[in-house]
Amino acid sequence: MIHSLLNLFKIGSPKVDLVLQSHQIVPGAIVKGSFHIYGGWLPQKIKRLECDFVKETKGRKTEVIAPAATVLMSQTMEPKGMREVPFHYQIPEDLPPTTNAETYRLKTKIVFTDDVKSFDHDELVVLN
């Protein structure tokens, strides 16, 4: 019961953080880094890790450009544990540069068996 309430309010829940080598990229480049998964207060079984490359335009709904990574898992994340999963993604070659009105992000989500989710957003600056 208490475990369910803690998960509902995301207190002591596991977290995910995408750590990138660089946040500035050019079209066609490969973005590299790793997902850092941190355990919460209690053991949690991981179902999958997802990352999407998205474009955000002011006044519009976020647009998914492409899925960047999907990692199916069947592992238990121990309390206070840490796990690293390598990441790389090639940016589309025809991508317009970042402007004040249009930005790009890598949106990461980790899903656990009891449908607990943790999110992370990393902004990318696309240069000419």
Side-chain angles (χ1 to χ4, degrees), residues 1-13 41-42:
M1 172 81 169
I2 292 175
H3 184 271
S4 298
L5 285 172
L6 291 174
N7 283 341
L8 179 65
F9 294 109
K10 297 192 189 281
I11 298 171
S13 295
W41 290 349
L42 301 168

Side-chain angles (χ1 to χ4, degrees), residues 20-85:
L20 300 173
Q21 290 179 357
S22 175
H23 289 269
Q24 295 187 348
I25 54 169
V26 294
I30 295 178
V31 177
K32 294 181 182 179
S34 60
F35 298 106
H36 292 200
I37 305 167
Y38 300 97
W41 290 349
L42 301 168
Q44 288 271 359
K45 190 164 184 173
I46 302 170
K47 283 175 49 176
R48 71 185 177 279
L49 177 66
E50 300 174 351
C51 184
D52 292 326
F53 184 54
V54 300
K55 177 172 78 171
E56 294 183 351
T57 306
K58 286 185 182 177
R60 292 191 179 174
K61 186 178 174 184
T62 300
E63 174 189 347
V64 175
I65 295 174
T70 300
V71 180
L72 299 177
M73 300 178 162
S74 182
Q75 302 173 352
T76 300
M77 192 70 206
E78 295 301 324
K80 305 293 181 188
M82 193 273 197
R83 186 167 290 139
E84 248 183 85
V85 177

Side-chain angles (χ1 to χ4, degrees), residues 62-109:
T62 300
E63 174 189 347
V64 175
I65 295 174
T70 300
V71 180
L72 299 177
M73 300 178 162
S74 182
Q75 302 173 352
T76 300
M77 192 70 206
E78 295 301 324
K80 305 293 181 188
M82 193 273 197
R83 186 167 290 139
E84 248 183 85
V85 177
F87 170 79
H88 70 277
Y89 174 69
Q90 184 168 3
I91 300 298
E93 293 197 21
D94 60 346
L95 205 61
T98 300
T99 65
N100 287 337
E102 288 187 343
T103 60
Y104 301 96
R105 294 184 187 276
L106 286 166
K107 182 178 175 185
T108 305
K109 174 173 69 172

